Amino acid sequence: MNRTDPPYVSPIMRVAGLPLHPIVVHAVVVLIPLAALGALLVAARPAWRRAYGVPTLVLAVAGLLSVPLATTSGNALAAEHGGHGSDALTLHMDRADRVLPTMLVFVVLLAAALWLGRRTDQSADPDAATGAPSGGTAVATRTTSTRLVPVLAVLAAVAGLVATWFVVLTGHAGATSVWGS
């Protein structure tokens, strides 16, 4: 290969001749902040949780699934360029390793908030759902769930913001590794 030729990247890691990594990172950069914004709405008002909860969870799961694709394609691209040469590239790759665990926490907390919120909403009128009179245990459980839903929603929103912050830091380090300071 001539030094002026572009570096070889596996055909699996290319789309229309372009390396997959710069394309896939756009999914991460768009989906994760949108999911974090949705999580803020979900945490702000119960009515918004009911309206925007599932679409927000879909965005968060799609963002979560795009992270391994971005890191795998990034590792392949780095290997094709001779490995982890520059300090900026090493920083980019180190920061990228923080996104997936944070996204896992975000998705689990958001899913728990939505699931418990739906159960709480459905049990708000237990007579309508079961036809049986509600007892003291059902009321106590409903009260605990009612208090736990906003806590989980706020924790999910915070996790979404942390994931967004890691995406920004990772993207900045990646841009610096390609374009310089």
Side-chain angles (χ1 to χ4, degrees), residues 84-98:
H84 311 177
S86 72
D87 290 340
L89 181 59
T90 301
L91 179 62
H92 173 64
M93 294 174 82
D94 289 345
R95 287 180 175 173
D97 289 340
R98 297 178 185 164

Side-chain angles (χ1 to χ4, degrees), residues 136-148:
T137 305
V139 172
T141 302
R142 194 168 50 248
T143 303
T144 302
S145 297
T146 303
R147 291 180 182 157
L148 191 55

Side-chain angles (χ1 to χ4, degrees), residues 39 43-44 113 149-159:
V149 170
V151 171
L152 287 170
V154 167
L155 289 173
V158 169

